[in-house]
């Protein structure tokens, strides 16, 4: 079985661009990825593309062939939809496709246009990742769902809003020098605690912003990289995916995310490593509590121990396991369909020394990316290793 | 909301409104909510209706301030997940100023303020 290498990456700025279409965003990101990879467009054999709310935001379904056009490639093109994990699953399928010999070079990425919907429209669009009959009809919003998990966590393990605030502060700090982040602005614990409530106990600064953006990368087989002389120092060595019951109420745990644990177990086994080998991670912190649930499910911290990790400095840039050195979804932004690929791009740059925060992890060789859909009814986990 | 009925779900909401709420239970004791053809836990096909217990216990809750447009006039409101033993239900907790995990609630059906649609509601029991 061939290895899978990251040959080139491309990224738009993440932010508010209500006038820019999804197709324009993806055109920019995909051009960047193909240019950086240095491959001929004719060598790209497929497009695997992630998008969640295109029908609601742009009246545009069936986006994959459109995005292949925008990327200037005539190849089989498929859209993947798993809510906020849409491009995470696209990456996973691309990795499998290259490994099984179906393709040697694949363009994979995602895009989301969100800010043109406004806050109410985006809140509605995001909510449909939950169970329509039993959750949306009860008034559960996306922040509300994570608030339910936060309150359940507090009830089961303890913890305080201040612990969550330290996560937001850390991720904003990490984004200060990240030029494509939505927020390059420091915040304080007081800012988080005093922000208007969205869904208690979560406030405005516990939540990621509404974001427009796109990300893309070219994945290639080891043989292709060697044959074409492509400089691709980072490999995807592990992939895993997990699912859980759709409605929060139907799950065994309200304060744990077993879908992430399942995805991590599979990815660790695939890469032949364990959580103790991971030196940095990009995790899906759509809300501050989500980062806590992630780092516990991934095996970095025991259940109940993750909430204090940012406050204690264990997950900060100089901690034992830096989490979200890119700024995470919280500060970098969360254009839903683009997020999974973006996390992997940030991680690859961190491992190859090309990231503005690479100095924080100068000797690191192993990183993990965790991309969660909805209230973690879907999760992908990927392991990246610096192999060159 | 459309006028179309959602088979299984609307019937269930109506039953709760009459005080005749039920859950589905498979031969292995897994509870679930309709519509189902199979038990979502084990795939068993022998689902039977069992009466929903009188009271439940709040497992978690949140006061939502930023709603979807369909709940614009309802906000702020409290969403809770309550455990009824055989299954958990998600609804809005009304008439309680300071919700607590562990509090006992009864379930019923009231109206959404914004649209008048039926809403699963918990009240202190
Ligand atoms: Zn069963």
């Amino acid at each position: 079985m061939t290895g899978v290498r990251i040959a080139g990456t491309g990224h738009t700025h993440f932010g508010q661009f209500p006038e820019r279409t999804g197709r324009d965003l993806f055109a920019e990101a995909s051009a960047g990825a193909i240019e950086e990879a240095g491959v001929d467009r004719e060598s790209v054999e497929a497009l695997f593309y992630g998008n969640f709310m295109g029908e609601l935001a742009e009246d545009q379904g069936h986006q994959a062939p459109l995005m292949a056009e925008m990327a200037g490639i005539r190849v089989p093109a498929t859209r993947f939809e798993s809510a906020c994990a849409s491009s995470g699953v696209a990456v996973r399928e691309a990795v499998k496709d290259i490994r099984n010999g179906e393709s040697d070079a694949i363009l994979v990425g995602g895009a989301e246009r969100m800010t043109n919907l406004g806050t109410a429209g985006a809140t509605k669009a995001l909510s449909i990742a939950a169970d329509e009959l039993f959750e949306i009809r009860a008034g559960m919003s996306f922040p509300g769902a994570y608030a339910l998990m936060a309150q359940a966590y507090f009830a089961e393990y303890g913890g305080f809003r201040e612990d969550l605030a330290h996560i937001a502060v850390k991720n904003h700090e990490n984004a200060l020098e990240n030029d494509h982040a939505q927020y390059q602005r420091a915040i304080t614990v007081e800012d988080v605690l005093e922000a208007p409530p969205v869904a208690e106990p979560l406030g405005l600064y516990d939540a990621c912003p509404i974001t427009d953006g796109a990300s893309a990368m070219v994945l290639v087989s080891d043989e292709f990289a060697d044959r074409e002389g492509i400089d691709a120092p980072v490999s995807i060595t592990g992939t895993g995916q997990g699912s859980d019951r759709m409605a929060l109420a139907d799950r065994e745990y309200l304060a744990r995310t077993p879908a992430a644990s399942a995805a991590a177990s599979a990815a660790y086994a695939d890469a032949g490593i364990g959580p103790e080998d991971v030196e940095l991670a990009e995790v899906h912190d759509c809300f501050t509590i989500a980062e806590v649930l992630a780092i516990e499910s991934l095996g970095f911290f025991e259940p109940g121990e993750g909430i204090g990790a940012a406050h204690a400095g264990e997950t900060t840039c100089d901690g034992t396991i830096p989490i979200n050195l890119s700024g995470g979804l919280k500060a970098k932004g969360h254009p839903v369909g683009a997020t999974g690929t973006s996390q992997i791009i940030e991680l690859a740059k961190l491992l190859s020394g090309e990231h503005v925060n690479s100095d924080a992890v100068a000797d690191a060789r192993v990183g993990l990316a965790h991309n969660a859909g909805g209230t973690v009814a879907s999760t992908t986990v990927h392991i990246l290793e610096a192999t060159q | 909301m459309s006028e179309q009925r959602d088979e299984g779900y609307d019937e269930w909401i109506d039953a709760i409104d009459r005080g005749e709420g039920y859950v589905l239970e498979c031969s292995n004791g897994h509870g679930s909510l309709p519509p189902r053809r199979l038990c979502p836990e084990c795939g068993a096909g022998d689902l039977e209706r069992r009466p929903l217990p009188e009271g439940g216990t709040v497992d978690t809750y949140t006061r939502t301030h930023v709603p979807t447009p369909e709940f614009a006039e309802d906000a702020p409101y409290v969403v809770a997940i309550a455990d009824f033993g055989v299954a958990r239900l998600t609804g809005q907790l009304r008439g309680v100023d300071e919700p607590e995990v562990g509090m006992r609630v009864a379930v019923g059906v009231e109206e959404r303020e914004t649209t008048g649609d039926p809403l699963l509601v918990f009240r202190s029991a």
Side-chain angles (χ1 to χ4, degrees), chain A residues 137 139 148 198 200 245 251, chain B residues 6 41 60 62 65 77 88:
Chain A
R137 292 189 193 191
L148 289 168
V198 174
E200 297 174 56
R245 295 286 299 277
R251 298 191 192 159
Chain B
D6 291 293
E41 290 295 327
T60 187
T62 175
H65 297 263
Y77 53 85
R88 288 198 191 105

Side-chain angles (χ1 to χ4, degrees), chain A residues 42-331:
Chain A
E42 294 72 41
S43 329
V44 177
E45 294 166 273
L47 168 64
F48 288 16
Y49 172 81
N51 172 264
F52 173 52
M53 58 178 71
E55 288 82 355
L56 293 170
E58 299 193 275
D59 291 327
Q60 185 66 68
H62 200 193
Q63 290 197 6
L66 174 64
M67 296 306 178
E69 279 181 38
M70 298 311 290
I73 54 176
R74 295 179 68 89
V75 296
T78 310
R79 169 179 164 186
F80 293 84
E81 190 274 299
S82 276
C84 317
S86 292
S87 59
V89 295
V91 170
R92 175 170 159 76
E93 294 307 312
V95 168
K96 288 158 61 176
D97 206 56
I98 290 172
R99 282 180 173 179
N100 72 24
E102 180 73 20
S103 305
D104 266 327
I106 294 180
L107 179 65
V108 55
E112 209 72 62
R113 185 181 187 190
M114 300 176 70
T115 67
N116 63 315
L117 290 167
T119 300
T123 300
K124 178 177 171 58
L126 288 166
S127 76
I128 70 170
D131 185 315
E132 198 275 322
L133 292 181
F134 294 101
E135 297 186 319
I136 294 179
R137 292 189 193 191
M140 191 194 284
S141 63
F142 190 45
Y146 274 92
L148 289 168
M149 291 194 276
Q151 188 62 59
Y153 188 100
F154 287 169
E156 183 156 359
Y157 302 114
F160 299 95
R161 283 197 64 209
E162 187 178 350
D163 297 313
L164 296 178
H166 278 271
I167 295 167
V169 169
K170 165 181 74 72
N171 292 347
H172 273 254
E173 187 76 24
N174 289 342
L176 284 177
E177 306 294 326
N178 189 346
D179 282 336
H180 61 249
Q182 187 161 0
Y183 297 132
Q184 293 181 265
R185 173 165 57 83
I187 59 171
T188 65
V189 168
E190 289 67 34
D191 291 335
V192 184
L193 295 178
E194 289 165 12
V198 174
E200 297 174 56
L202 304 178
L204 192 59
Y205 283 16
D206 286 286
C208 65
I210 295 166
T211 313
D212 306 307
S215 60
M217 57 191 182
V218 177
L219 297 182
V220 299
S221 65
D222 277 341
E223 293 75 11
F224 184 91
D226 293 344
R227 188 170 72 233
E228 302 290 324
I230 293 170
D231 177 33
V234 177
S235 296
I236 299 179
T237 59
T239 178
Q241 186 172 346
S243 290
D244 203 342
R245 295 286 299 277
M246 182 70 165
L248 272 180
D250 290 332
R251 298 191 192 159
E252 187 176 0
Y253 301 103
L254 295 173
R256 295 194 203 179
T257 52
S261 303
S265 296
Y268 289 141
D270 193 27
I273 66 162
E276 65 283 359
D277 299 310
V278 176
E279 294 159 283
L280 71 160
E282 290 287 314
V283 308
H284 199 95
D285 61 324
C286 47
F287 298 92
T288 47
I289 185 66
E291 178 165 314
V292 177
L293 299 172
I295 62 179
E296 293 180 359
S297 298
L298 296 168
F300 304 148
F301 295 88
E302 292 296 316
E305 302 291 322
I307 186 134
H311 197 161
E314 294 165 301
T315 54
T316 50
C317 60
D318 52 359
T320 47
I321 172 130
I323 301 290
N324 288 329
L325 282 171
S326 69
L329 284 54
K330 173 70 193 86

Side-chain angles (χ1 to χ4, degrees), chain B residues 25-31 39-44 46-47:
Chain B
E25 191 175 317
C26 78
S27 52
N28 291 315
H30 302 126
C39 170
E41 290 295 327
C42 69
D46 55 350
L47 303 181

Side-chain angles (χ1 to χ4, degrees), chain B residues 21 71 78 87 98 121 124:
Chain B
F71 288 90
V78 176
E98 296 196 1
V121 166
S124 188

Side-chain angles (χ1 to χ4, degrees), chain A residues 137, chain B residues 3-15 118:
Chain A
R137 292 189 193 191
Chain B
E3 294 304 310
Q4 154 196 325
R5 289 188 53 94
D6 291 293
E7 194 179 358
Y9 175 82
D10 288 332
E11 187 183 5
W12 180 75
I13 279 282
D14 290 346

Side-chain angles (χ1 to χ4, degrees), chain B residues 22-107:
Chain B
Y22 56 87
V23 297
L24 306 177
E25 191 175 317
C26 78
S27 52
N28 291 315
H30 302 126
S32 61
L33 305 181
R36 304 276 173 198
R37 291 174 184 230
L38 300 172
C39 170
E41 290 295 327
C42 69
D46 55 350
L47 303 181
E48 295 202 26
R49 288 187 184 186
R50 302 263 185 246
L52 192 66
E54 283 281 308
T57 305
V58 168
D59 274 349
T60 187
Y61 64 90
T62 175
R63 191 181 307 274
T64 294
H65 297 263
V66 181
T68 58
E70 287 80 0
F71 288 90
E73 290 160 31
D74 295 70
Y77 53 85
V78 176
V79 172
I81 294 177
D83 190 349
F84 285 74
V86 281
R88 288 198 191 105
L89 303 184
T90 305
Q92 288 194 10
L93 179 58
R94 285 184 168 172
V96 178
D97 286 338
E98 296 196 1
E100 283 179 38
V101 170
M103 68 179 290
R104 297 284 297 171
V105 292
V107 64

